[in-house]
Amino acid sequence: VVKAFEMEIIPARRIVAQIGDTLTLTCNTTGCASPSFSWRTHLDNPLGGKVSNHRTYSTLTMNPVSSGNSHPYLCTVICDEKERKEKQVKVEPYSFPSDPIIEISPSSVAGEPATVICQIPDVYPSNGLEVLLKKDGHVLHEKNFFEDWSTDTETKIVRYKFHPMAEDIGKEITCVARLLIDDTDFEPKERTSSRKLNANFGPQNTMITASPGNSPMEGDSLNLTCVTQSNPPPQTVWSKYLAEESIQHLIKNNVLSIPHVHFNDSGLYICEVINPVTNKTEKATVDIIIQGAPVITKLSVEPSTTVQEGENVSIQCSAESSPPPKIILRRKSDKADMGRYGARSILLPSVTFQNGGDYECVAENKFGNSRSEITLNVKYGPRNTMITVIPTDALKEGETVTMKCTSSGNPAPVISWKKKKATGESEKISENATLTIQNLKSQDLGLYECEAYNPFGKEEKAVKLYVQARLEEPDQMIPLIIAFSSVAAVAVPAVAILIYVSRQAKINGSYSLVKALRLKV
């Protein structure tokens, strides 16, 4: 059985090929021993490929496929130079190699125009391209290139300008590109790319939160957080107003932490936020009041805690707390209030030794109280120097006499004894406060001087000793006793004698009635 002459072209009728790939068209025959093959394009354009003839088939290979291969290709077969047959296949190149590239104009600021740019690289044919721009799934813009008859691959660009708002931050802008070629099964027909919207804005709605609150207790930890809306995140600078209207710069951080607050941490704190991109600045303030029991910050004596009698002295007490403290300043020995409330200092003009002692400052409020003490040490010279002689009645030879000298002063005075010599000069005889004379003799009579001394002065007192001579016969004491008795019987002379004795004792510092009577009788 002889087969009839037949031919076929593979693929048949239509082929869609990606630019850059390799495509081979095959022309087969049956029923012909010696076929002759030829290839040509519509309007005899260049083949754009390589022909390879074999005994029963011929191939046309396009390597790589280009946009120039967009033609109907016709294969002609002549069998034994008698019979001729032709068939054609349409080659449709396309290019859709990668996802779109999406950009948003840099440094866009919320409320100001921003431009979205979507690029579709190396697309062909352009007249099948459709592009959508979406924001969170909602179409912002749509464009097609159905009237674009470009003959080669091109990068197509879609631009769209819009006004992003602060609430748009973080939303996705998506570019959807579709290459629409009818009745084809190539993949992908759709490519997408997305980018989050990053508009710059702020700072705005800046505020400070305080934890545990605006009025923490002393010793608590305090965290101040500066909260704002800004993109990009702002620079944060903390500062604090000082009393002299100056500003103390603290840290560059959105959280200011004070582990253990003190009263001097009270004040007005400022948070300043700066967006370097938008070049905008915003401030927020918070007034912090530290509460707690009073703390005495100063208890002092001016010019010094040790002063000399006669100087002007100021005692000062200061305390801090919230609520403000009640302050009591007093001397502990008498508990006398010397100042209250706003009177934080007391003046002692021309201070005396009686003003010396421990002073107490008490500060209190509803949360508690605190106390502090300071000692005022008043230096003064010797005074109130006194001499005590034992025995106190008339002295007699052979007795023991003790003379004690006392004196007050700060520092304690140094006591010494001197005795007047016959020449009128004084001779130091003791550096003890107590002078003891044993086996009293007539040569011990005379004027004794007690001197009290310290760096701030000296004071002297004197006493004159008169010694009653010892009588050989006891009976000779009788006239003296009789004299005292007879004097006692006469009222007026007795009064006169007593007055005279008293005056002589004061004048001479003498403890001897014998001498006084002897002068009178």
Side-chain angles (χ1 to χ4, degrees):
V1 178
V2 179
K3 290 185 179 180
F5 171 46
E6 297 291 343
M7 71 165 292
E8 65 174 349
I9 191 167
I10 301 171
R13 294 187 295 277
R14 182 171 181 244
I15 178 66
V16 176
Q18 177 147 327
I19 292 174
D21 288 354
T22 298
L23 174 64
T24 299
L25 303 180
T26 303
C27 191
N28 285 325
T29 63
T30 57
C32 181
S34 301
S36 174
F37 297 96
S38 65
W39 293 88
R40 64 185 177 85
T41 64
H42 184 62
L43 300 178
D44 292 327
N45 287 308
L47 287 177
K50 180 180 179 180
V51 176
S52 179
N53 292 322
H54 303 272
R55 191 174 68 84
T56 59
Y57 68 94
S58 176
T59 60
L60 173 60
T61 301
M62 304 164 208
N63 185 19
V65 175
S66 70
S67 59
N69 297 122
S70 181
H71 305 292
Y73 282 82
L74 183 67
C75 178
T76 302
V77 183
I78 299 174
C79 184
D80 299 329
E81 298 181 355
K82 296 178 182 179
E83 190 173 359
R84 176 189 179 101
K85 286 184 183 278
E86 291 181 336
K87 283 190 178 181
Q88 74 172 15
V89 58
K90 186 177 182 181
V91 176
E92 298 185 16
Y94 80 95
S95 177
F96 200 33
S98 59
D99 292 339
I101 299 170
I102 185 170
E103 296 178 1
I104 301 174
S105 59
S107 301
S108 57
V109 177
E112 297 181 7
T115 301
V116 179
I117 302 171
C118 183
Q119 302 180 59
I120 302 92
D122 301 324
V123 67
Y124 182 85
S126 300
N127 60 1
L129 183 63
E130 180 183 64
V131 179
L132 301 176
L133 293 177
K134 298 181 177 181
K135 181 181 73 174
D136 263 14
H138 302 288
V139 176
L140 289 175
H141 180 65
E142 181 177 357
K143 182 176 181 178
N144 63 64
F145 295 83
F146 297 160
E147 303 300 323
D148 187 332
W149 300 98
S150 301
T151 58
D152 203 352
T153 59
E154 287 185 356
T155 296
K156 297 301 179 182
I157 300 175
V158 176
R159 289 182 173 86
Y160 176 68
K161 189 174 288 187
F162 73 114
H163 291 75
M165 305 307 292
E167 56 268 22
D168 292 328
I169 304 304
K171 292 182 178 179
E172 286 195 340
I173 299 294
T174 304
C175 178
V176 181
R178 297 172 181 158
L179 189 59
L180 306 176
I181 302 176
D182 295 337
D183 302 325
T184 58
D185 57 358
F186 74 91
E187 293 292 341
K189 293 184 176 70
E190 180 178 294
R191 289 183 179 275
T192 63
S193 289
S194 297
R195 186 169 179 177
K196 289 189 181 294
L197 190 60
N198 189 33
N200 300 309
F201 67 93
Q204 60 191 34
N205 302 324
T206 304
M207 61 179 294
I208 298 173
T209 61
S211 175
N214 291 24
S215 300
M217 295 295 292
E218 189 189 28
D220 287 352
S221 62
L222 175 65
N223 290 319
L224 301 180
T225 305
C226 191
V227 181
T228 190
Q229 295 175 344
S230 177
N231 190 49
Q235 299 172 357
T236 304
V237 178
W238 283 96
S239 54
K240 179 185 176 184
Y241 277 119
L242 301 180
E244 300 79 15
E245 297 185 358
S246 60
I247 293 178
Q248 176 189 11
H249 293 287
L250 302 174
I251 63 168
K252 293 183 178 180
N253 198 324
N254 68 316
V255 178
L256 173 60
S257 295
I258 305 175
H260 304 285
V261 294
H262 192 263
F263 291 117
N264 56 14
D265 292 315
S266 296
L268 189 66
Y269 288 81
I270 309 107
C271 161
E272 182 177 15
V273 286
I274 306 151
N275 188 326
V277 176
T278 63
N279 202 29
K280 292 183 178 179
T281 299
E282 194 169 75
K283 293 181 181 181
T285 61
V286 63
D287 197 14
I288 298 299
I289 301 173
I290 310 301
Q291 296 191 103
V295 172
I296 294 176
T297 57
K298 179 181 180 182
L299 179 57
S300 65
V301 177
E302 298 295 340
S304 171
T305 54
T306 299
V307 296
Q308 188 172 351
E309 194 173 43
E311 291 188 63
N312 294 329
V313 172
S314 172
I315 303 176
Q316 299 176 349
C317 179
S318 299
E320 58 182 14
S321 69
S322 180
K326 167 188 173 183
I327 294 178
I328 300 174
L329 185 59
R330 62 194 175 195
R331 193 170 64 179
K332 289 186 68 176
S333 60
D334 50 26
K335 297 296 183 183
D337 294 350
M338 305 187 74
R340 286 180 179 267
Y341 301 100
R344 297 173 182 263
S345 66
I346 58 175
L347 294 177
L348 300 172
S350 190
V351 68
T352 66
F353 73 94
Q354 289 97 335
N355 298 129
D358 294 330
Y359 285 80
E360 178 183 51
C361 177
V362 181
E364 59 184 16
N365 66 11
K366 66 179 181 179
F367 294 110
N369 63 72
S370 63
R371 298 170 181 266
S372 186
E373 296 181 10
I374 197 167
T375 300
L376 175 61
N377 188 12
V378 180
K379 302 289 187 179
Y380 62 97
R383 65 186 56 181
N384 301 324
T385 305
M386 296 177 60
I387 297 175
T388 304
V389 180
I390 299 174
T392 59
D393 53 1
L395 303 177
K396 299 177 182 179
E397 288 188 51
E399 291 184 330
T400 297
V401 178
T402 300
M403 292 183 286
K404 185 175 182 179
C405 183
T406 60
S407 182
S408 63
N410 187 17
V414 175
I415 306 294
S416 64
W417 285 94
K418 294 183 291 185
K419 181 183 178 186
K420 282 280 189 182
K421 299 168 69 175
T423 60
E425 294 180 355
S426 295
E427 177 187 10
K428 182 179 286 190
I429 58 174
S430 176
E431 291 186 351
N432 293 323
T434 301
L435 178 62
T436 301
I437 303 174
Q438 296 179 338
N439 192 19
L440 188 66
K441 301 178 178 62
S442 59
Q443 58 264 35
D444 292 324
L445 62 82
L447 186 67
Y448 288 82
E449 296 174 336
C450 162
E451 180 185 85
Y453 169 83
N454 71 11
F456 299 97
K458 69 178 181 177
E459 189 176 55
E460 295 180 340
K461 291 291 181 179
V463 62
K464 194 169 186 178
L465 293 184
Y466 292 93
V467 180
Q468 176 181 332
R470 183 182 300 272
L471 300 179
E472 296 297 332
E473 297 180 11
D475 292 344
Q476 291 183 3
M477 291 293 294
I478 297 174
L480 181 60
I481 297 171
I482 294 172
F484 276 109
S485 300
S486 62
V487 167
V490 184
V492 176
V495 173
I497 290 171
L498 289 175
I499 291 173
Y500 179 78
V501 169
S502 175
R503 286 179 177 175
Q504 284 296 104
K506 288 182 179 179
I507 291 172
N508 296 323
S510 171
Y511 285 79
S512 176
L513 287 175
V514 174
K515 176 62 176 176
L517 291 172
R518 189 173 295 154
L519 291 174
K520 185 67 179 175
V521 176

